[in-house]
Amino acid sequence: MKTRLGAAVGAVVALALLLSGCGAASSDAKVTLTMWAWDPNIDKVVALWNAAHPTIQVKVSNPAGGDQLVSKMITAHQAKNGPDIGKVEYQSLPALVAGGVVRDITDDTKTTVKDFDDATLKATRFDGKVYGIPQDSAPLMLFYRTDVFQKYGLAVPTTWDQYAQEARTLHQKAPSVQMTNFDAQDPGWFTGLVQQAGANWWRLSGTTWHVDINDALSNKVAAYWQGLVQDGLVAKNPSFSPQWNKQMNDGSLATWVSGAWAPAQLGGIAPSTKGKWTVAPLPSWTAGDTSTGIWGGSAMTVTTDSQHPAQAAQFISWLNTDPTAVTAQIKQINIYPAATSGRSLDVLKSPPAFFPNQANYYDLVKQAAPGAHAFTMWGPNVTVTFSSYTDAFGKALQFGTPFSAALDTVQSATVSDLKKKGFTVA
């Protein structure tokens, strides 16, 4: 991707590398690396590394998750006391690259990157330089309650038209049960849906940004879901709220459109539903189309504050490509590996613990992963875009105003902020 993004941070990264000695510490000198990550049980995976690498020890802490961790990384970088390694969701990486928070690790990962396909690696590569090692892939899938579908005679939908029809059938038979919810609080869910439809919110031509958040494809997705909301077929409350957790647990929500990581969350969300969920491909806009979107997914990065970048790059390469490490992550964290080789590990022959009745769980995810569409790139001000989404769609749900107007608001807020930050916008 030809972009000024990488060039803009080149001087910052080069200076940081010079100051840190570019990892020139003696290979037999003991170093301790700090890693910020929010995965539960990641410490158990890191313990495997520490046991085998006495001269390179990794200390894990969990100061925050998602966007909050990104904010802490930026603050720590400004104080010049950031961690060596940081877990970063893909959409947040461009802003950290532009801000000089994470470093170019191309030279230390030339062998590592061969274990990833281009579609996966593009989320961490800018101007041909690598700024992170992908950890997991999160294709959108359809999770449905087998018991609810059987009780009300619902068919597993393969298209969005059929999904809406099954939602109407469910509403007629059981008015207190809804097909799913529309989440105005988590933009990652909605961006995954518009990615499936083929939308591309950000592009860069030379040094000029193109922002297309309110394009025709995004409006098609928004109009579809507004129709379901207006007809009372889907709930309005946000995911991961106490009310939503209760609905997921008691069967008053029949499906969940989520990333492949859902089994890791369902045990805490709906503990009494183990064995009652089944995964299926995401419904398509056109019959037979295997496209899907992504929701989430992260990379491990090395910061420009690290005094041991070579060792840090060595560790994150091991974490995300070594068969033992990836197997441990699947067992402990329930990730679906980003590494191509990781998708054929023996551990994936058994379903996640929360899906004991679906032996082909990972087979279906593996089939869906190649069709996962992502934006060509994420913009450098995703936090502003996401904040505007939450506000605009929250108000649209509350007051019944058009979702198309909410998209216009998000578009305007994103463009205004880019210009304010000094970017050129078409």
Side-chain angles (χ1 to χ4, degrees), residues 266-290:
L266 281 170
I269 294 166
S272 67
T273 64
K274 181 177 181 179
K276 295 181 179 181
W277 292 91
T278 302
V279 71
L282 194 67
S284 62
W285 289 103
T286 303
D289 184 15
T290 58

Side-chain angles (χ1 to χ4, degrees), residues 260-310:
W261 42 260
Q265 303 295 324
L266 281 170
I269 294 166
S272 67
T273 64
K274 181 177 181 179
K276 295 181 179 181
W277 292 91
T278 302
V279 71
L282 194 67
S284 62
W285 289 103
T286 303
D289 184 15
T290 58
S291 299
T292 185
I294 61 168
W295 180 9
S298 302
M300 291 295 179
T301 64
V302 179
T303 73
T304 53
D305 292 320
S306 176
Q307 298 298 305
H308 309 287

